[in-house]
């Protein structure tokens, strides 16, 4: 007796049985690609491992792409405001890593604009070299990559005297403060910051915990180690916002993405208006004094030279 699959009827029907799967596959790919922006480079997204080699999105890469798009929506209006000049906007991306943000910004905005320049600042030499190779491969000619720290970049000859937009995404600990100092020195028109891993403030709070507990009941807010870390992060970002306002920036604080994606999720957007707020500087000083940190951290937040002698103590604190 012949097997059913060997009958003529079965043989003629077998190809038809696979057609729905093929049709579904052909529909799935355009559906995934429809999530991309018009004209976006498929080759770039594959090189960044946002798309797989066969052009698909997995769940992790879809989440990553969503975050990048969300951030792009905040940065694009700033770029548009600054794109009227002949040379176009300049942007410095600190702690660039693999330069996801820089490459996406160039692909979605700078490429069509035909002018402007992106500078990626990263301390890991291997990532800088990979970014240089990729930019050359994709013919992204107005991208440069520097193998220096955020603090060192302020005096780097490869960077122009003025940078329009400064970004620092998940720059660890004091690197965000270095990015702010860079932006101030370069007369940045805007800064887009996502702070990460702020350990300095927590270390400072731990140093005088017993004394502070005796001085004020507010010290209960950082008596437990976990609370010390959380409060230190919160206070640091509040001080950064006040510091920016004191230097003539209008500050907005919002979420980068949903908290389910990342706990390091605070997005600080600062736009230069030139209106320096004396009240912001006064409140900044008052907060530092309340926490007993004015002499240790005052210099970092521009409160004068009286704290410079004790700044060495900050660098010696355990992080």
């Amino acid at each position: 007796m012949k097997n059913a699959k060997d009958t003529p009827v079965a043989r003629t029907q077998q190809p038809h049985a696979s057609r729905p799967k093929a049709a579904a596959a052909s529909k799935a790919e355009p559906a995934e690609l429809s999530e991309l922006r018009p004209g976006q480079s498929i080759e770039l997204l594959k090189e960044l491992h946002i798309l797989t080699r066969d052009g698909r999105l997995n769940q992790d890469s879809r989440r990553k792409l969503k975050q990048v798009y969300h951030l792009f929506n905040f940065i694009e209006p700033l770029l548009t405001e600054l794109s009227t000049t002949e040379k176009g906007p300049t942007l410095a991306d600190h702690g660039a890593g693999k330069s996801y943000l820089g490459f996406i910004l160039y692909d979605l905005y700078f490429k069509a604009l035909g002018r402007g320049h992106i500078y990626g600042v990263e301390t890991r030499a291997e990532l800088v070299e990979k970014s240089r190779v990729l930019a050359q491969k994709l013919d992204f000619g107005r991208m440069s990559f520097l193998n220096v720290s955020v603090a060192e970049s302020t005096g780097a000859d490869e960077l122009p005297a003025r940078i329009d937009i400064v970004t620092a995404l998940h720059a660890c600990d004091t690197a965000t403060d270095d990015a702010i100092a860079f932006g101030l020195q370069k007369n940045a028109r805007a800064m887009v910051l996502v702070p990460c891993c702020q350990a300095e403030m927590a270390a400072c709070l731990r140093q005088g915990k017993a004394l502070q507990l005796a001085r004020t009941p507010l010290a209960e807010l950082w008596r437990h180690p976990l609370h010390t870390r959380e409060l230190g992060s919160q206070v640091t970002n509040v001080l950064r916002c006040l510091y920016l306002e004191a230097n003539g920036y209008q500050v907005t604080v919002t979420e980068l993405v949903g908290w389910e994606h990342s706990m390091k999720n605070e997005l600080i957007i600062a736009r230069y208006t030139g209106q320096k707020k004396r009240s912001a500087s006064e409140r900044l000083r008052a907060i530092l004094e309340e926490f007993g940190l004015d002499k240790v951290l005052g210099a970092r937040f521009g409160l004068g030279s009286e704290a410079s002698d004790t700044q060495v103590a900050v660098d010696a604190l355990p992080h």
Side-chain angles (χ1 to χ4, degrees), residues 263-275:
M263 292 303 291
K264 305 298 183 183
N265 195 33
E266 187 169 336
L267 174 62
I268 300 172
I269 302 173
R271 301 163 64 120
Y272 186 74
T273 64
Q275 297 178 352

Side-chain angles (χ1 to χ4, degrees), residues 84 127 156 226 257:
T84 55
L127 297 183
L226 178 61
V257 289

Side-chain angles (χ1 to χ4, degrees), residues 166-214:
V166 174
T167 61
L169 308 184
H170 300 124
C172 286
D173 203 15
T174 59
T176 297
D177 300 303
D178 293 335
I180 292 173
F182 173 92
L184 294 177
Q185 198 269 344
K186 296 291 185 180
N187 297 311
R189 299 287 299 279
M191 301 190 212
V192 180
L193 314 166
V194 180
C196 183
C197 306
Q198 297 102 304
E200 183 189 46
M201 177 67 74
C204 293
L205 290 172
R206 282 195 296 268
Q207 291 297 304
K209 187 180 295 186
L211 177 63
Q212 296 301 327
L213 281 167

Side-chain angles (χ1 to χ4, degrees), residues 135-195:
Q136 185 174 12
K137 179 180 180 180
L138 297 174
D139 196 26
F140 286 7
R142 287 170 286 109
M143 291 190 77
S144 302
F145 302 93
L146 287 72
N147 182 206
V148 295
S149 69
V150 181
E152 293 167 340
S153 66
T154 303
D157 294 334
E158 300 93 325
L159 287 163
R162 178 165 185 166
I163 293 288
D164 293 314
I165 299 177
V166 174
T167 61
L169 308 184
H170 300 124
C172 286
D173 203 15
T174 59
T176 297
D177 300 303
D178 293 335
I180 292 173
F182 173 92
L184 294 177
Q185 198 269 344
K186 296 291 185 180
N187 297 311
R189 299 287 299 279
M191 301 190 212
V192 180
L193 314 166
V194 180

Side-chain angles (χ1 to χ4, degrees), residues 202-260:
C204 293
L205 290 172
R206 282 195 296 268
Q207 291 297 304
K209 187 180 295 186
L211 177 63
Q212 296 301 327
L213 281 167
R215 187 179 70 87
T216 172
L218 287 178
E220 290 293 338
L221 295 174
W222 67 92
R223 179 161 64 91
H224 298 286
L226 178 61
H227 293 164
T228 305
R229 188 82 177 192
E230 292 176 347
L231 182 69
S233 176
Q234 176 77 356
V235 172
T236 300
N237 287 341
V238 169
L239 293 173
R240 286 166 175 164
C241 292
L242 289 171
Y243 186 40
L244 287 164
E245 289 177 344
N247 281 278
Y249 288 82
Q250 180 186 50
V251 177
T252 301
V253 181
T254 185
E255 294 179 5
L256 174 58
V257 289
W259 290 104
E260 68 274 14

Side-chain angles (χ1 to χ4, degrees), residues 14-171:
Q14 195 170 1
H16 294 285
S18 64
R19 284 178 187 172
K21 291 183 179 179
S26 65
K27 288 180 180 179
E29 187 170 351
E32 289 185 344
L33 294 180
S34 68
E35 296 186 33
L36 308 183
R37 300 293 179 93
Q40 194 163 9
S41 170
I42 302 301
E43 183 181 4
L44 170 64
L45 295 178
K46 288 181 178 180
E47 291 286 350
L48 296 178
H49 303 294
I50 291 177
L51 285 179
T52 62
R53 287 300 171 187
D54 58 355
R56 295 184 180 278
L57 283 166
N58 58 38
Q59 190 60 35
D60 182 62
S61 60
R62 181 175 279 107
R63 183 169 59 248
K64 185 181 296 183
L65 190 63
K66 179 182 178 181
Q67 292 179 24
V68 172
Y69 282 163
H70 190 60
L71 189 59
F72 176 77
N73 289 336
F74 286 109
I75 297 176
E76 184 184 23
L78 302 174
L79 290 170
T80 301
E81 290 178 16
L82 300 168
S83 64
T84 55
T85 61
E86 183 179 349
K87 292 184 178 181
T90 53
L91 182 145
D93 182 25
H94 289 288
K98 296 179 180 178
S99 293
Y100 283 94
L101 177 62
F103 279 115
I104 295 294
L105 286 172
Y106 194 98
D107 189 41
L108 293 180
Y109 193 88
F110 284 77
K111 185 170 64 176
L113 184 65
R115 60 188 188 278
H117 202 104
I118 293 178
Y119 299 88
V121 177
E122 172 58 46
T123 57
R124 288 166 288 183
E126 68 278 9
L127 297 183
V128 172
E129 183 58 28
K130 286 181 179 179
S131 294
R132 287 171 178 166
V133 171
L134 181 56
Q136 185 174 12
K137 179 180 180 180
L138 297 174
D139 196 26
F140 286 7
R142 287 170 286 109
M143 291 190 77
S144 302
F145 302 93
L146 287 72
N147 182 206
V148 295
S149 69
V150 181
E152 293 167 340
S153 66
T154 303
D157 294 334
E158 300 93 325
L159 287 163
R162 178 165 185 166
I163 293 288
D164 293 314
I165 299 177
V166 174
T167 61
L169 308 184
H170 300 124

